[in-house]
């Protein structure tokens, strides 16, 4: 009997078109290589110059960037046809939050198991905390949350992050872990002015590990290095690597698992080439909570109101969930761009060939003002599946259980700073 007959991988029936979107995303990044140098410079400058939000926890004087940028042609995703750094610095609070929220690469939620998961994907335990960009430039370091608000402004051991001033800059994708006051670096967008967004995840993780080791970023906090930076162990997603990411102890609180396609570029916005998955054993927050921090009896979703009354997700293109009557919109004082919260009634979600046909929505009110965007379709479907037919770790392990030639361990780009 052939080995694959003895170890036939588990395959969960597809409930969405997530695999098709993964294939399309890989095809697009091969066909359309963005001007990564210009985008990285614009992002670094904007992170330093966008106006602080009212919720900004620190109030030190803000340094102004000393370099000028050529005009950056923002894509249709940004909502601004043409922006330079001066224009970005004048954005209003809501516009700034929306713009900045779309610069991070955001994972979809795993609702279908990817093909070739064991061969083409990395996996690691995601730290619990605040997702942010960290930019070091001209002797200072600043971190901005995904809603655009400044988290910290501080000296760091990153290149040009304290004292020494030079024209280069670096941009890291991090999660700030409150308990140990540590920035856990999960990706690298730019290093010393060299853009990495059009490089594969495999190369970015290797570069991240090797380059950060050359700095003082891993040193304990000091006068010129206020917060410690650390890396997370990244594994090849075979059975041993997946089990290690799920079960092995780490110095931070876990908030699910992150899966990265090895061939994925760093693309702003939601991408099916990065996936997040959770269960009760690796996350405190599997089911979404309401405004009181309680898990509601019925699933709740946050959708964005459009000009024509349509209610859509944050995906590109957005997924239509329903429509509000014009008179109700007027009476409620709502307007285009509002983020609204709904519960899903007994009618639930009706799907056809992985696409939404109908949703039984019941209006609850406006979403929290701190939110930067609506829910994604994959998040809604993940929350729905957790309540009705969850994708469990046993199914994931079974899907990657093909024989391997040697014991799996953290891949040779393991992040263990």
């Amino acid at each position: 009997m052939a080995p694959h007959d003895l170890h036939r991988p588990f395959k969960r029936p597809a409930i969405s078109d997530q695999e098709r979107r993964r294939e399309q995303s890989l095809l697009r990044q091969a066909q359309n290589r963005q001007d990564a140098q210009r985008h990285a410079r614009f992002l670094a400058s904007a992170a330093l110059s966008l106006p602080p939000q009212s919720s900004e926890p620190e109030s030190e004087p803000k340094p102004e960037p000393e370099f000028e940028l050529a005009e950056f042609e923002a894509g249709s995703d940004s909502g601004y046809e043409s922006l330079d750094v001066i224009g970005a610095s004048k954005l209003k609070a809501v516009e700034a939050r929306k713009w900045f929220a779309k610069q991070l690469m955001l994972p979809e939620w795993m609702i279908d198991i990817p093909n070739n998961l064991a061969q083409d994907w990395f996996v690691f335990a995601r730290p619990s905390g605040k997702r942010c960009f960290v930019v070091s430039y001209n002797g200072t370091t600043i971190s901005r949350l995904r809603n655009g608000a400044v988290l910290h402004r501080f000296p760091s051991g990153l290149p040009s992050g304290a004292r020494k001033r030079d024209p280069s800059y670096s941009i890291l994708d991090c999660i700030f872990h409150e308990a140990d006051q540590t920035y856990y670096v999960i990706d690298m967008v730019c290093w010393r002015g060299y853009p990495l967004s059009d490089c594969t995840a495999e190369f970015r993780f290797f570069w991240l590990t090797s380059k950060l080791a050359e700095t003082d970023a891993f040193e304990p906090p000091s006068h010129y290095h206020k917060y410690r930076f650390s890396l997370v162990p990244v594994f090849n997603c075979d059975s041993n690597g997946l089990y290690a990411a799920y079960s092995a102890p780490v110095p931070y609180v876990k908030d699910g698992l992150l899966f990265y396609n090895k061939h994925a570029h760093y693309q702003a916005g939601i991408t099916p080439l990065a996936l997040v998955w959770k269960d009760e054993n690796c996350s405190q927050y599997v089911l979404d909570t309401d405004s009181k921090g309680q898990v509601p009896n019925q699933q709740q979703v946050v959708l964005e109101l459009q000009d024509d009354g349509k209610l859509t997700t944050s995906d590109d293109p957005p997924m239509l969930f329903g429509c509000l009557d014009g008179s109700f919109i007027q009476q409620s004082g709502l307007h285009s761009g509002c983020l609204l919260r709904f519960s899903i009634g007994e009618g639930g979600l009706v799907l056809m060939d992985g696409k939404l046909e109908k949703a039984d929505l019941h209006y609850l009110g406006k979403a929290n003002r701190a939110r930067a965007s609506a829910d994604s379709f994959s998040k809604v479907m993940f929350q729905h599946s957790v309540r009705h037919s969850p994708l469990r770790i046993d199914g994931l392990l079974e899907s990657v259980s093909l024989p391997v030639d040697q014991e799996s361990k953290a891949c040779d780009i393991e992040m263990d700073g």
Side-chain angles (χ1 to χ4, degrees):
M1 185 176 290
H4 64 269
D5 292 326
L6 291 171
H7 300 274
R8 186 176 302 279
F10 170 86
K11 186 61 178 178
R12 177 186 172 94
I15 60 173
S16 80
D17 60 352
Q18 198 169 51
E19 184 63 37
R20 179 183 61 82
R21 287 184 283 106
R22 273 190 285 272
E23 294 172 355
Q24 291 177 340
S25 186
L26 285 170
L27 182 62
R28 278 197 304 271
Q29 75 176 23
Q31 294 174 339
N32 304 313
R33 298 177 67 86
Q34 66 175 335
D35 186 350
Q37 178 73 50
R38 293 177 71 195
H39 183 75
R41 293 188 65 205
F42 180 79
L43 180 58
S45 180
L48 292 168
S49 62
L50 282 177
Q53 313 301 316
S54 58
S55 60
E56 181 176 337
E58 300 201 1
S59 58
E60 293 94 326
K62 180 172 62 176
E64 294 295 330
E66 298 180 355
F67 62 98
E68 296 181 356
L69 277 108
E71 186 179 86
F72 171 75
E73 298 293 337
S76 58
D77 291 348
S78 70
Y80 308 102
E81 294 182 357
S82 179
L83 273 181
D84 56 18
V85 66
I86 297 176
S89 68
K90 295 178 180 178
L91 289 176
K92 296 179 181 179
V94 174
E95 294 172 329
R97 288 197 297 270
K98 285 186 176 181
W99 180 88
F100 211 87
K102 294 185 178 180
Q103 305 311 308
L104 284 165
M105 186 170 82
L106 303 175
E108 287 195 7
W109 291 74
M110 183 186 285
I111 49 182
D112 290 336
I113 299 177
N115 294 333
N116 301 318
L117 181 61
Q119 294 78 31
D120 292 343
W121 293 75
F122 294 126
V123 61
F124 59 91
R126 180 171 71 166
S128 176
K130 298 175 180 178
R131 181 83 180 276
C132 56
F133 271 133
V134 175
V135 178
S136 63
Y137 169 73
N138 202 26
T140 191
T141 306
I142 189 169
S143 57
R144 281 191 180 267
L145 301 172
R146 58 177 295 181
N147 67 359
V150 173
L151 177 60
H152 298 129
R153 186 176 293 108
F154 59 102
S156 77
L158 298 173
S160 195
R163 295 180 296 176
K164 184 179 179 181
R165 302 188 175 208
D166 62 58
S168 70
Y169 54 92
S170 299
I171 307 173
L172 303 179
D173 186 344
C174 300
I175 295 175
F176 182 69
H177 190 252
E178 189 75 31
D180 58 5
Q181 295 286 285
T182 297
Y183 280 94
Y184 286 93
V185 188
I186 63 173
D187 213 330
M188 179 181 283
V189 184
C190 183
W191 187 253
R192 294 187 182 274
Y194 178 76
L196 297 166
S197 56
D198 61 346
C199 299
T200 65
E202 192 165 24
F203 178 82
R204 294 198 311 275
F205 287 173
F206 166 76
W207 195 266
L208 173 59
T209 304
S210 59
K211 294 303 178 182
L212 274 182
E214 299 171 358
T215 71
D216 296 329
F218 298 145
E219 296 298 319
S222 64
H223 180 69
Y224 290 108
H225 184 59
K226 187 172 181 179
Y227 296 100
R228 182 173 178 264
F229 287 79
S230 187
L231 299 172
V232 298
V234 174
F235 302 88
N236 284 310
C237 196
D238 52 32
S239 56
N240 289 326
L242 177 58
Y243 185 78
Y246 181 72
S247 302
V250 288
Y252 50 82
V253 177
K254 293 182 181 180
D255 186 25
L257 300 182
L258 268 176
F259 298 80
Y260 270 55
N261 188 290
K262 295 179 180 181
H263 311 291
H265 295 176
Y266 193 100
Q267 56 188 71
I270 301 172
T271 173
L273 299 179
L275 300 170
V276 61
W277 173 89
K278 297 181 180 182
D279 73 0
E280 294 80 1
N281 293 320
C282 67
S283 176
Q284 302 176 57
Y285 311 103
V286 180
L287 285 172
D288 282 347
T289 58
D290 58 20
S291 58
K292 298 179 181 179
Q294 303 296 319
V295 175
N297 292 329
Q298 294 179 316
Q299 181 182 350
Q300 296 184 3
V301 299
V302 174
L303 303 170
E304 182 174 352
L305 179 62
Q306 305 299 328
D307 288 329
D308 53 5
K310 291 180 178 178
L311 300 165
T312 61
T313 64
S314 58
D315 302 277
D316 180 25
M319 181 75 71
L320 177 64
F321 262 66
C323 190
L324 286 182
D325 181 75
S327 59
F328 176 81
I329 294 174
Q330 187 175 9
Q331 293 171 8
S332 304
L334 304 177
H335 57 82
S336 175
C338 278
L339 298 180
L340 309 178
R341 185 175 292 276
F342 298 84
S343 64
I344 298 178
E346 294 181 359
L349 303 174
V350 179
L351 301 172
M352 185 67 68
D353 297 328
K355 295 186 178 181
L356 184 69
E357 291 287 317
K358 182 181 178 181
D360 183 13
L361 298 178
H362 297 265
Y363 179 66
L364 297 176
K366 292 184 178 180
N368 190 306
R369 293 180 61 185
R371 286 193 66 120
S373 61
D375 288 334
S376 65
F377 176 69
S378 65
K379 179 180 180 181
V380 175
M381 291 306 304
F382 183 87
Q383 289 289 312
H384 184 265
S385 67
V386 167
R387 289 173 176 267
H388 300 283
S389 179
L391 173 58
R392 302 189 185 279
I393 188 63
D394 291 344
L396 288 172
L397 287 168
E398 188 68 21
S399 72
V400 296
S401 62
L402 292 175
V404 291
D405 295 330
Q406 57 184 12
E407 182 180 357
S408 175
K409 58 182 178 178
C411 62
D412 54 3
I413 54 169
E414 179 178 343
M415 303 180 182
D416 55 359

